[in-house]
Amino acid sequence: MSGSLQGARVAYRVRRIDEQVGALTLTLDIIASIDEALDDLVALGQHGVDPAEILRLTPYFGTLWPSGRGLARWLAALVAERPGCLAGQVVLELGCGLGLPSLVAARLGARVIASDCHPDVPTFLARNAALTGVTIEYRALDWRAPAELVALREQLGALDLVIGSDLLYEADLAGALGPALDALCGPDTRVLLADPGRPHLQVAVHAIEARGFTSRVEIAAVPSGQADPAVHGERRAELQELFMLELRRC
């Protein structure tokens, strides 16, 4: 099934997929072609839209990346091992994009707050929450901004779980993640992060540990982004290794 969703500047052509996560099947609308959406954004420059604004609106959020898939499967596996362990938990997802892990957590009984700073994320998240049959709260959040983190913590109170996938795609984010988790996490907050092995991962982990967290890492493999024609065109599915990090206060 195809259709469109209107964003802040462009209308995105979307396609509907069924994503299998453990025992769950989730129906999602994703951007049909990232390249097509980028072309539409670049064309705005011919009508006087500032290049910085076009860059800010780059819609890489609009497809399923391996780390998001891996994190979603991790959450499902936790509940398979300990049924009901997410029920009633307050879960915050950073940089949620399409919000697959948030959707899974909500289906598994958590109260979920999804956050991102791209203005078109809420439209997709609302569509996919409706398709999945769950309620998800949304907060516009740049987790690099300390004032925004303090305000969010005051609004939400204690968090049981903070989750995020592929958060370290730029070098400056490695230094920002430790302070962000420090601001958001109480003494009992657990953190689950999935990363595809970005060059800045180890720097980020050291910085987080320096703020009083312990870390545990596992390696997982999920279908790579090459399986998604919205990102790489028609190619056979391949597996990608992910680093799955669990963090807790010491």
Side-chain angles (χ1 to χ4, degrees):
M1 177 177 178
S2 62
S4 65
L5 280 176
Q6 180 63 47
R9 292 282 191 173
V10 298
Y12 298 104
R13 188 169 59 87
V14 300
R15 62 189 179 92
R16 187 158 293 178
I17 65 169
D18 288 327
E19 180 74 8
Q20 192 70 33
V21 182
L24 303 175
T25 302
L26 290 85
T27 299
L28 304 172
D29 278 354
I30 70 174
I31 292 177
S33 169
I34 297 294
D35 286 343
E36 180 182 295
L38 286 171
D39 288 344
D40 290 344
L41 280 171
V42 170
L44 295 176
Q46 302 173 9
H47 301 282
V49 178
D50 186 77
E53 172 70 358
I54 293 173
L55 182 63
R56 184 179 75 90
L57 294 175
T58 300
Y60 289 127
F61 73 87
T63 193
L64 294 180
W65 297 96
S67 294
R69 284 187 159 115
L71 181 56
R73 284 158 172 73
W74 193 5
L75 293 171
L78 291 175
V79 174
E81 293 173 3
R82 296 173 50 215
C85 67
L86 286 183
Q89 296 275 291
V90 180
V91 178
L92 170 68
E93 182 174 8
L94 301 176
C96 67
L98 288 177
L100 178 62
S102 284
L103 295 167
V104 169
R107 278 281 294 270
L108 296 172
R111 174 198 170 192
V112 179
I113 301 92
S115 67
D116 206 291
C117 59
H118 195 292
D120 295 340
V121 163
T123 300
F124 279 83
L125 190 64
R127 168 71 64 85
N128 289 328
L131 289 171
T132 305
V134 298
T135 298
I136 291 179
E137 302 171 46
Y138 178 78
R139 299 288 191 282
L141 176 72
D142 182 346
W143 53 265
R144 296 166 294 185
E148 293 187 30
L149 296 172
V150 171
L152 184 64
R153 178 75 185 274
E154 290 177 350
Q155 292 172 9
L156 298 179
L159 297 169
D160 296 300
L161 184 62
V162 175
I163 61 176
S165 59
D166 206 355
L167 297 177
L168 304 174
Y169 51 87
E170 293 178 356
D172 68 308
L173 299 173
L177 187 55
L181 295 178
D182 196 20
L184 290 169
C185 295
D188 299 318
T189 306
R190 184 182 183 190
V191 181
L192 300 179
L193 303 176
D195 187 273
R198 297 285 186 184
H200 325 294
L201 176 60
Q202 196 58 57
V203 172
V205 171
H206 287 325
I208 294 167
E209 291 176 338
R211 290 180 173 268
F213 289 81
T214 59
S215 66
R216 183 180 68 85
V217 63
E218 296 180 3
I219 306 296
V222 299
S224 75
Q226 292 182 354
D228 189 345
V231 183
H232 291 290
E234 296 291 346
R235 300 184 187 176
R236 67 181 180 87
E238 298 178 1
L239 293 179
Q240 177 171 328
E241 284 193 343
L242 299 176
F243 294 86
M244 316 299 289
L245 291 102
E246 179 180 14
L247 303 160
R248 295 178 183 266
R249 293 281 195 188
C250 297

